[in-house]
Amino acid sequence: MEKTMKVLLVDDSKAARFAMGKLLKDQGLEVEMAASGEEALDKIATEAIDIVFMDQSMPGMGGIAATTAITSNEKNRTYPGSTLHRQ
């Protein structure tokens, strides 16, 4: 049986999380969501996540700082990720 990939979608916009989450779920992915960089770090620490999609510009810890924190941990160095930014 094939494992479903688990995606962490991080965006401070509830509407963006909803829209992107629906697109990802429609592709057969399991989607976890976080509204901030800090929340993303907590989820990464406690859940098995395969891919992270991160908004670049968020209040508090932004996407770049959160991605740096995630990848600075040796066990997380292999995370594929993408930083999303909308203007």
Side-chain angles (χ1 to χ4, degrees):
M1 188 163 152
E2 198 171 306
K3 178 185 177 261
T4 301
M5 291 193 70
K6 190 175 202 179
V7 173
L8 177 58
L9 177 58
V10 187
D11 199 306
D12 59 313
S13 166
K14 187 175 184 176
R17 287 193 313 272
F18 176 80
M20 186 71 170
K22 179 166 179 11
L23 289 171
L24 293 169
K25 287 176 185 176
D26 287 350
Q27 295 303 309
L29 300 169
E30 182 179 344
V31 179
E32 288 292 324
M33 297 186 193
S36 68
E38 295 88 353
E39 188 178 344
L41 294 178
D42 289 343
K43 287 195 179 271
I44 292 277
T46 60
E47 298 183 38
I49 303 293
D50 297 303
I51 301 173
V52 179
F53 289 96
M54 182 86 65
D55 180 9
Q56 179 178 340
S57 179
M58 296 182 285
M61 179 183 280
I64 293 174
T67 300
T68 299
I70 291 166
T71 57
S72 68
N73 183 330
E74 185 66 35
K75 74 176 190 138
N76 297 330
R77 292 240 168 120
T78 59
Y79 269 111
S82 176
T83 301
L84 305 175
H85 180 71
R86 61 187 185 284
Q87 296 183 349

